[in-house]
Amino acid sequence: MRVLRTVAELRSCRKDLSRTGSSVGFVPTMGCLHEGHLSLMRTARQQNDSVWVSIFVNPTQFGPNEDFERYPRTESRDIELCRECGVEILFIPPAREMYPEGSQTWVEVEHLPKALCGASRPTHFRGVTTVVAKLFNLVQPDRAYFGQKDAQQVIVLDRMTRDLDFPVRLVVCPTVRESDGLALSSRNVYLDAEQREQAVVLSQALAEVEELFEKGERDPNKITEHIHNRIQAMPLARIDYVSVVRTTNLQPAEKLDGGELVALAVFFGTTRLIDNIVLGERSLIDT
Ligand code: AMP
């Protein structure tokens, strides 16, 4: 495995690999790697000749009062995990490599980023699409791997990839969870013991509404009401949103047919956790 830190080195490696005709599977991350990230890498390993990973805590996707400074950074451990996973190229650029002095170009999807998380994080997805577009240009992957845990991110990036004709296939991998159901997240380390205990309500409530749907519930208001009630029973939880939306436009679903996204964001203290399910075991994007 090679660890690269500059755009010039990355371009040169990509050029060399292009001559061999090998396929590249790419996994962009912000590091502090856990089993969720590793599952993406393992899937990429199975489907491509070469796996490339980036670790970049992207400043442009954090809001002014968010956790950019204290976001957990565990680089030497991450390097070992990537090595064990059979990663060929690990790109860890400093911020000045991705955003040199004078950078002023954004890649912005117009409508989808305003829904769900965008209401409380208005500049977040512009940062995500800009950095992922830049990484796609540099890595030129055949396939790129993303977790369903960040469902809106997948939908926004799918739109960007289609709109800008990136020759990349997006692959969505299932959310990896702790044994009690909590979705793995680098931000889970912020939770204290009591918050961690109560956070299990998120995945429980989602599993319950999946069951309600399977038993025939077709009213989205009943779904959101059930989740609200379950979460509000936890004294340390503060709901940001609970929504049932169509995956095509992220607008509220009027009735349920299967394929709707049930998504939520909930604060425990200052830590904001997200989770979601797609009803009826359907996929998030068309592939
Ligand atoms: P991050 O490092 O948080 O930017 O995440 C990098 C990638 O890992 C994104 O595509 C995430 O959706 C994915 N990811 C994060 N947590 C999980 C999880 N629990 N299960 C599956 N994928 C995940």
Side-chain angles (χ1 to χ4, degrees):
M1 182 178 83
R2 292 188 60 192
V3 179
L4 309 178
R5 296 186 190 270
T6 66
V7 165
E9 288 172 300
L10 193 77
R11 281 196 197 284
S12 150
C13 271
R14 188 62 184 97
K15 216 169 174 182
D16 292 345
L17 193 73
S18 293
R19 290 198 195 95
T20 71
S22 296
S23 61
V24 173
F26 175 48
V27 184
T29 82
M30 297 207 299
C32 191
L33 301 180
H34 52 63
E35 272 302 314
H37 301 109
L38 301 184
S39 74
L40 270 51
M41 293 180 202
R42 291 191 194 107
T43 308
R45 176 81 274 165
Q46 287 163 7
Q47 298 180 349
N48 302 275
D49 299 318
S50 182
V51 178
W52 294 33
V53 171
S54 63
I55 295 178
F56 181 58
V57 183
N58 174 32
T60 63
Q61 69 189 66
F62 288 79
N65 299 314
E66 293 183 355
D67 56 342
F68 175 68
E69 293 299 337
R70 70 175 188 130
Y71 194 84
R73 290 158 169 91
T74 57
E75 186 183 297
S76 43
R77 184 174 164 273
D78 291 350
I79 292 174
E80 272 326 298
L81 289 170
C82 288
R83 205 189 303 281
E84 286 165 21
C85 254
V87 171
E88 190 158 335
I89 301 291
L90 175 55
F91 182 47
I92 316 182
R96 68 175 177 281
E97 276 296 306
M98 294 307 288
Y99 300 108
E101 182 107 13
S103 295
Q104 52 183 290
T105 303
W106 296 102
V107 174
E108 189 162 14
V109 173
E110 193 169 2
H111 300 301
L112 294 168
K114 294 184 181 132
L116 305 179
C117 290
S120 59
R121 307 187 76 192
T123 58
H124 171 69
F125 289 106
R126 178 181 81 161
V128 172
T129 44
T130 300
V131 81
V132 172
K134 286 165 69 69
L135 290 166
F136 279 2
N137 281 331
L138 293 170
V139 175
Q140 297 172 30
D142 295 277
R143 299 181 190 82
Y145 294 79
F146 297 93
Q148 185 185 319
K149 200 206 129 222
D150 298 272
Q152 187 175 8
Q153 170 168 282
V154 169
I155 289 168
V156 169
L157 289 174
D158 180 53
R159 187 73 261 159
M160 176 195 83
T161 303
R162 291 170 194 271
D163 288 353
L164 296 184
D165 302 305
F166 281 107
V168 182
R169 180 175 291 266
L170 301 196
V171 180
V172 186
C173 299
T175 302
V176 178
R177 298 175 180 282
E178 300 280 7
S179 54
D180 66 357
L182 179 70
L184 294 188
S185 162
S186 307
R187 291 188 165 100
N188 290 350
V189 299
Y190 299 149
L191 300 172
D192 68 26
E194 223 178 331
Q195 292 168 336
R196 170 65 187 83
E197 213 168 281
Q198 294 186 18
V200 73
V201 72
L202 309 185
S203 58
Q204 284 175 350
L206 288 168
E208 287 158 13
V209 297
E210 172 79 58
E211 207 176 310
L212 290 178
F213 174 76
E214 277 161 18
K215 287 187 177 144
E217 182 58 72
R218 293 294 178 267
D219 180 354
N221 295 324
K222 292 274 164 46
I223 299 288
T224 47
E225 193 183 297
H226 181 88
I227 298 175
H228 267 275
N229 289 341
R230 288 285 274 114
I231 296 175
Q232 277 163 353
M234 295 295 168
L236 300 179
R238 182 168 59 82
I239 294 174
D240 180 8
Y241 69 80
V242 176
S243 299
V244 183
V245 296
R246 292 191 296 269
T247 54
T248 45
N249 58 7
L250 298 181
Q251 293 307 302
E254 270 115 45
K255 78 182 222 322
L256 306 176
D257 300 314
E260 291 79 15
L261 173 68
V262 184
L264 53 81
V266 175
F267 283 97
F268 286 87
T270 56
T271 305
R272 187 173 173 282
L273 301 181
I274 57 171
D275 201 348
N276 70 83
I277 52 164
V278 179
L279 294 174
E281 292 178 10
R282 301 267 279 276
S283 62
L284 207 48
I285 55 171
D286 290 336
T287 49

